Amino acid sequence: MATLVVVRHGETMWNREQRVQGWAPVALTETGRRQADALAATVTDQYAVDRLVSSDLRRTLETARPLGRAVGCEPTPDRRWRERDFGVLQGLSYGELFLGYPEFTLTEVGYTAAETRPEGGESLIEQRDRIIDALTSLVDDMDSNETVVVVTHGGPLYLILGWIKDLDIVATVMEQEQGNCAINEIKVDTESGRLAVQRENDTRHVDNDT
């Protein structure tokens, strides 16, 4: 079977400030860079990586580059692995988003919030379609016994794991967690396309970095 390792980017200042990042070109903090180095060391120690794919946003590419140097693979940017496009809501604090725009809050309105598109952005359902397209395209292209690493964001990780585990969209977002530089391992049956989660939100390599 092939192995797909999907990881989240390192810490940014907007993570610390709990702001909606969306497609903003936010850089890693010093902590985020240390997390990226720790991720690179851990992945190199535990996997023989054949291919490295990354969201093309700044924070993911900054996380992918030390990993690429460690495993000898140049990151291939793929914009389909981006975080959700929040449009005019980008840059708001979580408090401003949830209090000022309850129509986007899953805990308030449930599934309807997942269908609602912010001005200039995309709905959660539209993002899920984009992410699942990226995932299935990659799986279809994987060779038996190949190991591929994808560096992406928290939102896409929720969506692919929820899809594999057959969670509804509300549970997908509300009942899962992904820390900065979390490692998720998915086994891929390249004959059937079947996916099985083997490791989820593993942050032991960065848990002591505050």
Side-chain angles (χ1 to χ4, degrees):
M1 297 182 73
T3 302
L4 178 60
V5 181
V6 194
V7 303
R8 188 184 176 199
H9 62 79
E11 183 199 68
T12 70
M13 188 57 67
W14 283 24
N15 286 146
R16 285 190 190 177
E17 296 171 352
Q18 296 190 316
R19 295 171 66 187
V20 178
Q21 296 189 94
W23 290 6
V26 186
L28 298 185
T29 61
E30 187 62 40
T31 294
R33 289 189 286 273
R34 289 196 301 269
Q35 291 172 338
D37 289 339
L39 174 69
T42 299
V43 170
T44 303
D45 181 61
Q46 297 179 359
Y47 300 98
V49 179
D50 300 297
R51 202 171 4 147
L52 177 60
V53 178
S54 176
S55 155
D56 65 344
L57 294 176
R58 179 174 180 177
R59 57 194 183 271
T60 38
L61 288 173
E62 288 185 356
T63 304
R65 286 178 185 126
L67 179 55
R69 290 193 294 269
V71 302
C73 293
E74 187 71 21
T76 300
D78 186 340
R79 64 183 290 118
R80 291 177 300 173
W81 287 99
R82 287 184 174 196
E83 185 56 276
R84 180 179 174 185
D85 182 0
F86 281 92
V88 298
L89 304 179
Q90 182 173 290
L92 295 179
S93 70
Y94 294 161
E96 290 170 334
L97 173 62
F98 298 143
L99 292 176
Y101 303 88
E103 65 269 28
F104 297 103
T105 307
L106 291 167
T107 54
E108 294 293 327
V109 297
Y111 185 83
T112 302
E115 297 179 306
T116 305
R117 182 191 301 120
E119 181 183 345
E122 64 184 341
S123 72
L124 185 57
I125 296 298
E126 289 169 332
Q127 184 200 12
R128 183 176 63 179
D129 291 344
R130 168 169 59 82
I131 294 300
I132 298 307
D133 176 67
L135 174 66
T136 54
S137 295
L138 180 58
V139 166
D140 288 345
D141 189 50
M142 290 178 70
D143 294 328
S144 177
N145 299 318
E146 184 181 20
T147 297
V148 179
V149 177
V150 176
V151 183
T152 185
H153 309 262
L157 287 165
Y158 294 152
L159 293 169
I160 65 171
L161 293 170
W163 184 71
I164 293 169
K165 294 185 285 185
D166 200 27
L167 300 178
D168 66 48
I169 194 68
V170 176
T172 289
V173 175
M174 303 306 301
E175 297 180 8
Q176 300 188 104
E177 294 185 8
Q178 287 291 318
N180 288 116
C181 281
I183 295 173
N184 302 269
E185 179 184 326
I186 300 167
K187 288 298 183 184
V188 179
D189 184 333
T190 54
E191 293 295 322
S192 66
R194 186 174 302 160
L195 307 177
V197 179
Q198 300 294 307
R199 182 181 185 185
E200 186 173 348
N201 191 30
D202 188 344
T203 58
R204 287 174 291 180
H205 51 293
V206 296
D207 280 344
N208 293 327
D209 199 341
T210 56

